[in-house]
Structures are given as structure tokens and as C-alpha cells.
Amino acid sequence: MAEPEHVSVTVQVGEKRGCPEEEGKDTPSKKPKVEKDHKNGDPPVKVDEEEEGPDGEAVDGEEEGETFADMMKYGLTELDVGILRYVSDHEGFSGILKERYSDFVVHEINRQGQIVHLDDLSVPPEAEEAPEPEPKPEDCDVLTEEQKKKLGELQLFKNKEDAVPIEVMEDTKEKRTLLHKAIKTQFPGIETKTEEKEGRKFIVAYHAAGKKALAAPRKHFWPKNRGSFCHFVLYKENKDTMDAINVLSKFLRLRPNMFSYMGTKDKRAVTVQEIAVLKITAERLSHLNKCLMNLKLGNFCYKNHPLKLGELQGNHFTIVIRNISGTDEQVEQAMTSIKATGFINYYGMQRFGTTAVPTQQVGKAILRNDWNEVVDLILKPRPGAEKEFLVRCREEWAKSQDPEAALKKLPNKRCVEGQLLRGLSMYGKKNIVTAFGMLPRNNRLMYVHSYQSVVWNTMVSRRIDAFGLKAVEGDLVLKGTTAHVLSAEEAETTSIHDTVMPLPGFDVIYPTHHVGKGYRELLTADGLDIDNMRHKVKDYSLAGAYRRIIIRPTDVSWEVIQYDDPRISLVHSDFEKLENKPAPVYNKEGKHRALRMEFSLPPSTYATMAIREVLKVDTSIKKQTQLNTTWFN
């Protein structure tokens, strides 16, 4: 199949708004028989408090353009990770993806197949059952307006002091209790304590989203007829799912694992998804809407079950590609093709990291049990721009091989490099497996999953090269959760949309045609035994999984729109609708053209790969950065 000329999308840095307190991440599931990943494209993996890339660099979007472009000179391209082919023959065209984060909108599709929206901020009646006896009407007036103002400023981090003292004029236990209750009810995230100064009693209010934020939650009365879990819709802007959950957990004084969800969502986007939390009332959650930035909670209800990763049916995307160069005819051909045929279900570039040392190389070293190589790849000096403290850390390691000395160069010890160096200093360089175990499990598994993914991409490109978009004898299809090899007769009546390819592992079978045999050749060249994918360390034993070759989006629609002001949003968000803000008005005579597209995808499918098929782009940050530099110059 002929490859068209690559014309790439460019990425521009858009608006950025902050919200305090971030840390932690959950662990992914280990052994899928049929791949049912919970992500709509892997966001950067998190290590505790900072957002981290796969190799530990904090990803904050604040790098200067030249520095970032310099770093990306050494980044991966699609060719490096096996993303080689397209399925359609229409002519590609250029455009700007995510010029603003509001150009990329994701709505979760829940277990019932419904698109999740934030459209109701009210608290359900049953949520008004208070955990304690209802306060008397006069109890609500124990705070003066001046005190409420100061407490509100404290809650929003707007005052210079770190506490607000309120003198108890009538010093009785009942009066103090009322003050404590009133403050905590009306100002979520604020904690209180009683202090005595010069014979006078004070209730001192302070912000709980600090070192005591993760203390065990208080036990509250919970009605037996109410479901134990409050389910709600989380609307977020420019923040990934774990960032948002960490913010909620600190304001509510909960551990993050009290929250459950069906999938993580992109950071640089507007996303809407369902979240569940154990024994927290809708009323408490609703109060948070007063003080959270870029987050809104609504559509509250109580149920008897949490949410589980992978339970979602997919995600619905609304994406704006700005400043497109394609004609209306080219756009029509591209969108008609993706609606009818679909796109190759490649793992997107975010699966493989953005630095000069790809995650799949580390994964390959882990699978080969070459632990010295693992340490070398993560800690050695590398080309490209990095934060200065990481450069100093790597230089120290290269010079002294002393983990404690290298660790001292890091201000944040919880990045990947810091975790590994801490493990090496504790267990020694002869116990690298144990030292590497200091990294969170999801970070460690990310490396081996990345290797599986690049193998899958490479083999699927070979499969498309060899046989095109037709099922052939020796291909695999799923019957239930079990893979079945197609006979020649079966292949005649089987659609390419039903065929799957395996990720390598000990619990999968491979196509019986020559492309299937290529798996063995590829793994052998990498020093791995395809017949022995069980690892000495159980975590790194790969079961394998099956993944569809071609994905055809559903609910596909599109329009070409024109606009003048690049700063305005071109998508009417759920929150804007709730606030009765008017929908975007497109100027038919506008000087800029944009493609606004909508489609739904199943879990573990990358929207960037669908966009790649439409535009015929190279979606790597390296290529996008090169074109972005050209765009601005």
C-alpha cells in the first residue's frame, strides 16, 4: 500500500490554569486475556507528587520553546515505534491540534453505553440525610459575616496568614462544637482546633490540604438505606485524572484510593467522566464546587458498588483541528474514509515517552533480565535538554556510580531516578531487582508494556503490508475470549474489523501465516525467547493479550467551520451550558478554517491515531515540534 507524503500536525501551547496539591497513582491490571485497557490514550505516568514523564522528568509545560525543541531533536518518531502505514489513499493536509486544550473534548461512555455529561449540579434529596442531627436554625448563624469572609479567603489560599482564629465568647463545650461544625460544613478543606491564649479560648481554623490532609477520615453515621458509594460526574480542564483525584482527596481529607473510576483521561483536554467515592455525601462533594479551579462535580447519586478500571464502553471525542490546509473535498474524502473503513489501531506515541531513552528499551532490558542495562538506561547521561538538576544527577552517577551522591543532586527524590537511586543506596548495586522495586508498580510495568506495544505496532505494519485490508488464512479472530485461527474458507467471510493480533506473552497464540512467524524473529533479535515469556520476577511475566487490527469509529460527524479569533473556544462545553453561556458562533466569512469532528472509540484506542489517519500526519512530538518551530518563525 502506497504511503502518502507526511504532512504533520503542529501543536501550540495554550492557556494553563493551576490548582494546588497533586500526587499518587493507581496500579494497572496485570493479565488481560483480551486487551481491555482502561485508558483513552496513556497520559504521562505519575510518581507521587509531581507529574512525571516515563523517565522521571517533571512535565510542566513551562519549558522554553528552544529548549523543548532541542530536547525533541532526540525524541522518537513514528518510524521508531512501528507506526508506518495508513489504510486510506486520500491526500493528507495539515492543521493545528490542541492549539487550545478546549479543542480536545472527551466524554466517557459508561457501562450502559451512554455518553456521560455534567448537566446537573444539584444534590439529591436522600443526600440531605445528615451524618449527625440536623442543626437548629440558629446554629447556622454562629459565624459572623466578617468571619465567613476570612474563612472563605483561607479556603481559597487568598490570605497571607495560614490560620484564622475565632474567639469563643461564650465558652461552653456546646458553643465550641457548633463553631467547629459550622466551619467544617461551610468550608470544605478547612480543619479546626481549640487553643487557649492568655486565658481566652479560640477556635483556630487552618487549611487541611497540607501535611495532615491524608489522615484517616472521620467516621460518620451512614444510613443503611443509602448506597455506600456516591457516584458523581467529574468535569475537568487541563488536568489529568489522578491530579484531579489528589486535589479532591486533600480537600476532603481522604486517601486517594477511596476514589474509583473506569478510566484515566487526557490532561491537555476538557474531559467528563464518572467517579465513585466511599461514604462521602453528595452535599460535601457539592461544597467543593465553590473553591475548585478547573474542576466541577455534579450528577450525584448513591449506589452500592464502586467503579472498576476497564468497565467503560469507550470515549466520545469532540476535536477541533485549527487552520486546516485541506479543501472541502479533501476533508470529505478523509472523514468518509475513516467512517467507512477506520484506522490502524496503533499504540500512540504517548505510550513510548518523549526522551532520548525510549521506554521500550528499558522494558526490553527488564525482560532480558539485564538489570545493569536497566539502571544504565535510566540513569546515564543522555542527549537533549533536561532540567539542570537531572543533568547534574546523571553526571554524578556517571562519574562516581555512588547512588547516595547522585541522589543528593535531586531536589525531588520521588521522580523515577530518585526512587531508583534510593533503592540502590538501600539495597546496593548487587540487588538491583529489589532496588528497582522501589518504583511504583505501574511505573515498572509501563516499561514492559511499552515493549509489547512496539512489537505489536511493528507486526501489524507488516500484516497490513503483506495482506492489506482483507482477512486471510492464518489470521486470528476472537470467539469469546479465546483466539481462533481462520481457515481459508472462514477468511472469505470474515471482516478485517474482526481480526486481531497478539501482544507477545505466555498466554497467547500467534497467526500461522508468515507474519505470525515474524514475532519469533523479532523477539529472537531482541534476545528474548518467545516460548518463555514468564519472568523470574512475577510482575514482569507477560501473559499477552489480543488487540483489533482496525478500529472503525462510531457516531462519526464533522463540519468545516470558519472563525476569526483564535482565542475563542469552538466547542460548547458542559460547564458553559450549565452556566447558560452562549454556544460558539462561527463566522462564515472568517479568515481561519477548522475541522470540527466527533466520533466514539472503544477503550484502549488512541484518538491521535484516528486524527493521524485523517490528516496523514506524523504525530510524534519530535515532528510536531519541528513544524511548530517553523509555524512560529
Side-chain angles (χ1 to χ4, degrees), residues 127-179:
E128 292 170 5
E129 280 187 85
E132 297 175 16
E134 289 287 336
K136 298 174 185 177
E138 60 268 22
D139 293 346
C140 300
D141 299 324
V142 294
L143 295 170
T144 67
E145 291 304 314
E146 179 65 22
Q147 289 166 346
K148 289 178 182 177
K149 180 182 177 183
K150 289 182 178 180
L151 289 166
E153 290 173 348
L154 176 69
Q155 184 185 42
L156 297 175
F157 302 95
K158 288 184 177 179
N159 58 341
K160 295 180 181 178
E161 297 78 23
D162 57 3
V164 173
I166 297 174
E167 186 173 0
V168 183
M169 305 306 292
E170 304 169 29
D171 184 18
T172 64
K173 184 176 181 181
E174 291 74 17
K175 180 68 174 178
R176 293 197 304 272
T177 301
L178 285 175
L179 277 168

Side-chain angles (χ1 to χ4, degrees), residues 115-231:
I115 297 175
V116 175
H117 285 278
L118 179 77
D119 52 20
D120 183 5
L121 298 181
S122 65
V123 175
E126 64 268 28
E128 292 170 5
E129 280 187 85
E132 297 175 16
E134 289 287 336
K136 298 174 185 177
E138 60 268 22
D139 293 346
C140 300
D141 299 324
V142 294
L143 295 170
T144 67
E145 291 304 314
E146 179 65 22
Q147 289 166 346
K148 289 178 182 177
K149 180 182 177 183
K150 289 182 178 180
L151 289 166
E153 290 173 348
L154 176 69
Q155 184 185 42
L156 297 175
F157 302 95
K158 288 184 177 179
N159 58 341
K160 295 180 181 178
E161 297 78 23
D162 57 3
V164 173
I166 297 174
E167 186 173 0
V168 183
M169 305 306 292
E170 304 169 29
D171 184 18
T172 64
K173 184 176 181 181
E174 291 74 17
K175 180 68 174 178
R176 293 197 304 272
T177 301
L178 285 175
L179 277 168
H180 284 296
K181 282 185 187 176
I183 294 169
K184 291 173 187 175
T185 300
Q186 295 179 49
F187 301 94
I190 299 297
E191 189 58 274
T192 58
K193 60 185 176 181
T194 303
E195 289 185 358
E196 187 170 339
K197 295 179 182 178
E198 300 176 353
R200 298 157 64 193
K201 286 274 182 73
F202 292 87
I203 302 294
V204 179
Y206 59 94
H207 215 293
K211 61 183 180 181
K212 295 185 178 180
L214 300 182
R218 289 179 175 79
K219 293 182 180 178
H220 290 280
F221 167 73
W222 195 265
K224 291 182 180 178
N225 62 347
R226 177 194 288 166
S228 295
F229 295 86
C230 185
H231 288 232

